[in-house]
């Protein structure tokens, strides 16, 4: 079963990604109970140590599956053993490949939450991904007021009350994907930029000037309980369409 995903990723990298340079994002739904011991063979010793520190089993399993997918995909694209793929951590925690492949530098991003993991990858252009589980019990109105740009809150207020709670997570994942893509994470103020629209595909803009920041975000729902967004640097909204692909868990677990 582990071999099957490695074969699929290898074929995909050769026939689709390496030939068309098309960015893509995998997502996989993780069952509440699953066996991940074999997947740890694809992780680095440091990643295995991090996995062991999780208190809850579901968090442990999401971490292991996410990093296994990351290493299997990068290993397939760089023709390396997954556990030996050389990675470094940037100053704000964003991982990167130490050595680029022949076709150009590979950019990637990883995210995991309760029930779903996501992995995005692109050549040349920086990319970010975020996935979140919708929580109907948190005060999203207060979160929006505290952390989001005024244009974001206006966008949220434009939707029906019954849709606003879930829409918040679509907006939040788009913004998280962007700050992960630029490599700054939560050190970059969320109020400094906004998502232009709640469409499937939208621009990221500066909250002070309204000018485009030359980043495009795309969103989808991997499950009815989750929102997932990618963000990629792009000069035109017509460029760099990110392909979302579901990866069935039975292929990796």
């Amino acid at each position: 079963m582990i071999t099957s995903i490695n074969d699929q990723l290898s074929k995909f990298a050769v026939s689709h990604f390496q030939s068309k340079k098309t960015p893509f994002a995998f997502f996989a739904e993780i069952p509440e109970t699953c066996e991940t011991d074999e997947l740890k063979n694809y992780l680095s010793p440091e990643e295995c140590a991090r996995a062991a520190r999780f208190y809850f089993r579901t968090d442990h399993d999401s971490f292991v599956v996410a990093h296994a997918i990351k290493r299997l995909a990068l290993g397939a694209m760089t023709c390396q053993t997954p556990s030996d793929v050389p990675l470094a951590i940037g100053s704000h925690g964003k991982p990167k490949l130490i050595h680029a492949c022949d076709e150009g530098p590979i950019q990637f991003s990883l995210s995991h939450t309760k029930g779903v993991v996501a992995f995005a990858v692109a050549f040349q252009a920086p990319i970010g991904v975020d996935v979140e589980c919708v929580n109907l019990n948190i005060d999203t109105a207060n979160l929006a007021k505290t952390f989001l740009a005024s244009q974001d809150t206006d966008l949220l207020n434009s939707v029906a009350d019954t849709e606003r709670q879930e829409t918040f997570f679509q907006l939040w994942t788009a913004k998280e994907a962007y700050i992960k893509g630029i490599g700054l994470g939560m050190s970059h103020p969320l109020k400094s930029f906004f998502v232009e629209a709640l469409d499937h595909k939208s621009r990221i803009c500066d909250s002070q000037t309204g000018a485009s920041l030359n980043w495009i975000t795309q969103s989808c729902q991997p499950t009815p309980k989750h929102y997932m967004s990618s963000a990629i640097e792009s000069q035109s909204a017509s460029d760099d369409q990110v392909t979302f692909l579901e990866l069935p868990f039975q292929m990796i677990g």
Side-chain angles (χ1 to χ4, degrees), residues 179-196:
I179 61 176
K180 292 173 71 175
I182 62 176
L184 296 179
M186 294 301 289
S187 68
H188 189 72
L190 294 177
K191 285 182 177 288
S192 67
F193 65 96
F194 67 94
V195 178
E196 188 176 48

Side-chain angles (χ1 to χ4, degrees), residues 128-142:
V129 71
D130 188 60
V131 62
E132 300 287 346
C133 182
V134 174
N135 185 342
L136 299 179
N137 297 317
I138 65 173
D139 186 357
T140 55
N142 185 56

Side-chain angles (χ1 to χ4, degrees), residues 108-159:
F108 67 92
S109 182
L110 187 68
S111 181
H112 54 93
T113 188
K114 182 179 180 181
V116 172
V117 301
F119 172 74
V121 65
F123 273 118
Q124 308 291 345
I127 192 169
V129 71
D130 188 60
V131 62
E132 300 287 346
C133 182
V134 174
N135 185 342
L136 299 179
N137 297 317
I138 65 173
D139 186 357
T140 55
N142 185 56
L143 284 174
K145 181 179 179 181
T146 304
F147 294 105
L148 304 187
S150 60
Q151 296 92 333
D152 293 320
T153 55
D154 289 344
L155 198 58
L156 280 176
N157 291 333
S158 71
V159 304

Side-chain angles (χ1 to χ4, degrees), residues 12-21 76-78 101 103 123:
F12 184 85
V14 172
S15 65
H16 180 76
F17 188 61
Q18 290 187 350
S19 60
K20 300 180 180 179
K21 306 291 194 299
M77 286 182 281
T78 59
C101 66
E103 282 77 9
F123 273 118

Side-chain angles (χ1 to χ4, degrees), residues 15-16 29-30 53 70 73 90 92 122 131 160 166 182 191 196 230 233:
S15 65
H16 180 76
E29 189 174 358
I30 310 301
R53 291 196 289 268
K70 171 194 72 178
H92 293 278
V131 62
E166 290 195 7
I182 62 176
K191 285 182 177 288
E196 188 176 48
S230 65
E233 188 175 42

Side-chain angles (χ1 to χ4, degrees), residues 26-190:
F26 280 121
F27 64 87
E29 189 174 358
I30 310 301
E32 288 189 12
T33 57
C34 58
E35 179 55 58
T36 57
D37 286 345
E38 287 189 42
L39 289 176
K40 291 179 184 176
N41 294 328
Y42 295 95
L43 272 57
S44 69
E46 186 271 338
E47 289 165 342
C48 287
R50 288 171 61 193
R53 291 196 289 268
F54 283 101
Y55 182 80
F56 293 106
R57 180 72 190 191
T58 53
D59 295 334
H60 166 276
D61 291 345
S62 293
F63 178 92
V64 171
V65 172
H67 287 269
I69 291 174
K70 171 194 72 178
R71 286 190 167 274
L72 283 164
L74 294 176
M77 286 182 281
T78 59
C79 300
Q80 298 182 78
T81 302
S83 60
D84 293 333
V85 172
L87 300 176
I89 304 298
S91 57
H92 293 278
K94 184 179 181 180
K96 62 180 180 179
L97 276 169
I98 295 177
H99 301 293
C101 66
D102 293 339
E103 282 77 9
I106 294 176
Q107 305 279 342
F108 67 92
S109 182
L110 187 68
S111 181
H112 54 93
T113 188
K114 182 179 180 181
V116 172
V117 301
F119 172 74
V121 65
F123 273 118
Q124 308 291 345
I127 192 169
V129 71
D130 188 60
V131 62
E132 300 287 346
C133 182
V134 174
N135 185 342
L136 299 179
N137 297 317
I138 65 173
D139 186 357
T140 55
N142 185 56
L143 284 174
K145 181 179 179 181
T146 304
F147 294 105
L148 304 187
S150 60
Q151 296 92 333
D152 293 320
T153 55
D154 289 344
L155 198 58
L156 280 176
N157 291 333
S158 71
V159 304
D161 292 348
T162 54
E163 301 174 3
R164 196 167 297 151
Q165 192 83 355
E166 290 195 7
T167 302
F168 170 85
F169 287 93
Q170 177 186 353
L171 190 59
W172 186 269
T173 56
K175 291 175 75 78
E176 283 246 21
Y178 170 68
I179 61 176
K180 292 173 71 175
I182 62 176
L184 296 179
M186 294 301 289
S187 68
H188 189 72
L190 294 177

